[in-house]
Amino acid sequence: MATLADLKISEVKLSEEQTGKWGMVIDQDICTGCQACVAACAMENNLSFVGEVDSGYGRSMHWIRIERFWEGAYPEVKMTPNQPMMCQQCGSAPCEPVCPAYATMHSQAEQLNLQVYNRCVGTRYCANNCPYQVRSFNWRDYERPEPLSNQLNPDVTVRRRGVMEKCTFCIQRIHKAQDKAKSEGREVVDGEFTTACAQACPANAITFGRVDDPESLVSQLAHRGHGVKHLEELGALPSVTYFKGG
Amino acid sequence: MIKRIFDWLKQPLGLIAVGIAVLALFSLAAYGIYTTQQPPEQPIQFPHQTHVAFGIQCLYCHPGAAKGPAAGIPSQAKCWGCHNQIAKTQTSLLLAPLKDAVTSGTPIEWVPVAQVPDFVQFNHRAHIAAGKNCEDCHGDMSKVTIAQNPQVFNMGWCLNCHVETAGQDHEKLVKLSDCGTCHY
Ligand code: SF4
């Protein structure tokens, strides 16, 4: 009988060719910066509302944020396209090896970076090692006054003070879709479900799906040619492809 | 000052006092653990064994187990479906809360017994589909009145069964031992 010890980390191939399983394509040219994805993500994933004071300390909590940059020097400043930024679900994630508690694991089944809340001891090392700065820390138990307390998603853990959290690619939706497909005796079909951000986006700037399936919409888009992966030179093998100026 | 306290504790009376204090702390801790292992007070002393003896299937009252994450606790409408045809319901003292609940329309507030922590995402359907029986985790309900946990649900116990179920199937083992399968 195979045991847990047989699943050695060394079995995970960290080669350039590794494609991962789930991936995302974001078209920055059609993103309007409306923040609907940010709101949808917060609702879906039980994010805390940090409030003005703590936000001022840089403790705001988002699993996705819209970045904007300025190019050029005054007065010729030009705004770059809006850039939705979330956990890139790296194939070789810098956050993973630094966790002393093995709380940020690489899921071998789903090829995602996991955050196991009950294991996290809150060293915040992972957040400091994340080149995309997409991890947020629960500095407090933030209050959810009525009626906000009634909108919690039962499929997602409500995090407590002292743990790290980040985008999960809506793993609860992945599991739900897989469970439904399995109960009907079939495979998950492309487009059957999507992440909360992609679902909410009015401009359809975000596409989510299986990148290891060449037929899926997301791989077709990803292979269109001019997409970039952010900070690709770090070799973290991110799963999100961005399009800009196409 | 501290030396004086130590000196006092070293004499026979002091030793007895220390002994009593240790004993008191120990029994308090033991009592604390004992209380966590007691089934909670329920609004009705629901006799599971009687219902099982009548041949009622688990899934008749807890149909959610076959369909989704939560097995569900039946509403009083479900109880009443059978009980309003049973003469004893009108007279039984045990069933008075049910009669009251139905006539006044207030829900019965059952206390869930078999629970996993918030950071564990459990799905009944997958377990039933994998051929697990209710009693594998919840114990033999034909022997107990109100539900009790015969089994402490902890991760080692879950994982043991997962690894056993996967057997030689590597793909299954990967899935069943993945942190992300239960924790997200
Ligand atoms: S919802 Fe779509 S358009 Fe709006 S900010 Fe997000 S990605 Fe951009």
Side-chain angles (χ1 to χ4, degrees), chain A residues 101-150:
Chain A
Y102 297 100
T104 170
M105 294 291 292
H106 202 76
S107 162
Q108 298 193 36
E110 302 303 334
Q111 299 293 321
L112 297 174
N113 308 111
L114 303 171
Q115 180 68 26
V116 184
Y117 308 120
N118 45 317
R119 248 190 208 177
C120 176
V121 294
T123 63
R124 313 198 299 283
Y125 200 165
C126 54
N128 292 324
N129 219 30
C130 173
Y132 304 98
Q133 292 295 302
V134 288
R135 289 173 160 266
S136 32
F137 186 67
N138 285 272
W139 287 93
R140 299 174 200 285
D141 277 327
Y142 295 100
E143 227 178 286
R144 284 189 182 83
E146 287 275 336
L148 281 179
S149 50
N150 295 323

Side-chain angles (χ1 to χ4, degrees), chain A residues 1-4 7 11 105 107-110 114 116-119 154-158 171-172 175 178-179 182-183, chain B residues 67-69 118-121 123 125-126 155 159 163-164 167-168 170 173-175 177-184:
Chain A
M1 195 178 76
T3 61
L4 281 183
L7 294 175
E11 281 177 25
M105 294 291 292
S107 162
Q108 298 193 36
E110 302 303 334
L114 303 171
V116 184
Y117 308 120
N118 45 317
R119 248 190 208 177
D155 297 338
V156 180
T157 306
V158 179
I171 192 170
Q172 69 279 11
H175 282 315
Q178 284 173 341
D179 188 57
K182 218 167 176 190
S183 72
Chain B
K67 296 182 199 140
D118 185 33
F119 51 77
V120 179
Q121 309 292 337
N123 189 346
R125 194 208 69 81
M155 195 171 121
L159 224 42
V163 172
E164 225 167 81
Q168 294 297 333
H170 187 75
L173 182 64
V174 166
K175 177 79 186 161
S177 60
D178 196 85
C179 305
T181 300
C182 310
H183 301 295
Y184 46 86

Side-chain angles (χ1 to χ4, degrees), chain A residues 195-209:
Chain A
T195 58
C197 55
Q199 187 186 6
C201 180
N204 266 338
I206 305 176
T207 315
F208 173 80

Side-chain angles (χ1 to χ4, degrees), chain B residues 40-64:
Chain B
E41 196 68 40
Q42 300 283 2
I44 299 174
Q45 291 294 309
F46 180 85
H48 265 103
Q49 82 272 61
T50 313
H51 290 77
V52 174
F54 283 139
I56 303 169
Q57 300 292 317
C58 306
L59 285 177
Y60 182 74
C61 298
H62 306 286

Side-chain angles (χ1 to χ4, degrees), chain A residues 7-8 32 36 46 49 57 70 86-87 90 98 200 215-217 225 238:
Chain A
L7 294 175
K8 272 188 249 101
T32 61
N46 299 339
F49 302 99
Y57 285 111
W70 278 265
M86 78 289 279
C87 174
C90 306
V98 297
E215 299 298 311
S216 72
L217 181 61

Side-chain angles (χ1 to χ4, degrees), chain B residues 10-175:
Chain B
K10 272 188 204 138
Q11 51 137 337
L13 201 67
L15 284 177
I16 292 171
V18 170
I20 289 174
V22 167
L23 217 67
L25 271 176
F26 180 77
S27 32
L28 205 71
Y31 178 71
I33 292 167
Y34 168 79
T35 50
T36 63
Q37 299 307 313
Q38 291 311 298
E41 196 68 40
Q42 300 283 2
I44 299 174
Q45 291 294 309
F46 180 85
H48 265 103
Q49 82 272 61
T50 313
H51 290 77
V52 174
F54 283 139
I56 303 169
Q57 300 292 317
C58 306
L59 285 177
Y60 182 74
C61 298
H62 306 286
K67 296 182 199 140
I73 295 174
S75 69
Q76 62 219 39
K78 185 140 226 167
C79 309
W80 203 240
C82 296
H83 270 280
N84 71 348
Q85 299 166 39
I86 300 169
K88 211 173 151 198
T89 309
Q90 299 299 331
T91 52
S92 163
L93 216 57
L94 183 69
L95 283 163
L98 173 65
K99 218 175 78 190
D100 287 350
V102 171
T103 42
S104 67
T106 46
I108 304 171
E109 292 183 13
W110 297 106
V111 187
V113 175
Q115 278 179 306
V116 288
D118 185 33
F119 51 77
V120 179
Q121 309 292 337
F122 178 80
N123 189 346
H124 270 98
R125 194 208 69 81
H127 291 83
I128 299 281
K132 283 274 138 202
N133 283 324
C134 306
E135 60 265 31
D136 293 344
C137 304
H138 296 289
D140 191 352
M141 282 296 158
S142 65
K143 298 220 170 65
V144 294
T145 47
I146 48 176
Q148 299 169 358
N149 269 350
Q151 173 60 50
V152 178
F153 298 139
N154 62 23
M155 195 171 121
W157 175 71
C158 294
L159 224 42
N160 268 347
C161 187
H162 275 197
V163 172
E164 225 167 81
T165 308
Q168 294 297 333
D169 189 340
H170 187 75
E171 199 185 323
K172 219 169 176 182
L173 182 64
V174 166
K175 177 79 186 161

